[in-house]
Amino acid sequence: MALNGYLRGQIDFYSIIMLNTMISLLLSAFLQFTGFGGMSQPVRNTFKMEKVSSDTLRLVFDLTIGNGWHVYSTELEKGGPTEAVLALDEIEGAELVGKLSFKGDEIEVDDPLFGMKVRYFEHKVQFIQLVALTSESGHFEGHLEYGACNDQTC
């Protein structure tokens, strides 16, 4: 989907958690890219939810980035590309612990298009968010947003 001249990728996830009894996840992961004229998806992704302890979950988003493409990092300057962010539409009985973190080789460059330094990843990156469960049952839903570009289009 086009957004201010560049694309925003999106992975949606939905989860329902019951402490000490069951963790279930209905996963719907997809990317929406328009304007590629039949080109295959430049970013492929997987999602998993890991139980860290009886009251903590780890959400893990693995992105594989096509050759020549890059995905922008977290906490970028305002007025720049779409940064990676976990956007929660609804959360009950749970809360985020810390900020969205990443594992990957982050590259920083002066970008003439945006007129600022930007940080991004090539080939692969993993975005991670911890979630603390605050009640015996909880519900949260949301999506990971990020910007993806190559040298010709975003």
Side-chain angles (χ1 to χ4, degrees), residues 138-152:
H139 172 83
F140 57 94
E141 60 185 60
H143 55 273
L144 177 69
E145 294 180 350
Y146 56 91
C149 294
N150 66 17
D151 290 338
Q152 298 174 346

Side-chain angles (χ1 to χ4, degrees), residues 26-60:
L26 297 173
L27 174 63
S28 171
F30 64 90
L31 284 174
Q32 294 178 336
F33 287 96
T34 59
F36 290 109
M39 190 167 137
S40 64
Q41 292 180 344
V43 181
R44 302 215 185 271
N45 58 77
T46 60
F47 167 79
K48 62 185 170 189
M49 184 170 62
E50 302 169 344
K51 188 173 181 178
V52 175
S53 67
S54 63
D55 63 351
T56 305
L57 302 173
R58 179 183 298 121
L59 308 179
V60 181

Side-chain angles (χ1 to χ4, degrees), residues 16-33:
I16 298 173
I17 301 110
M18 302 279 271
L19 272 178
N20 300 325
T21 56
M22 115 178 153
I23 296 177
S24 67
L25 173 71
L26 297 173
L27 174 63
S28 171
F30 64 90
L31 284 174
Q32 294 178 336
F33 287 96

Side-chain angles (χ1 to χ4, degrees), residues 71-75 82-86 100 127 144-147:
V71 168
Y72 290 101
S73 191
T74 60
E75 300 184 40
T82 300
E83 65 187 3
V85 62
L86 181 64
L100 182 67
F127 291 106
L144 177 69
E145 294 180 350
Y146 56 91

Side-chain angles (χ1 to χ4, degrees), residues 4 6 76-83 113-118:
N4 297 332
Y6 49 92
L76 299 177
E77 229 179 283
K78 297 291 180 210
T82 300
E83 65 187 3
L113 176 65
F114 295 107
M116 64 178 68
K117 287 188 179 201
V118 297

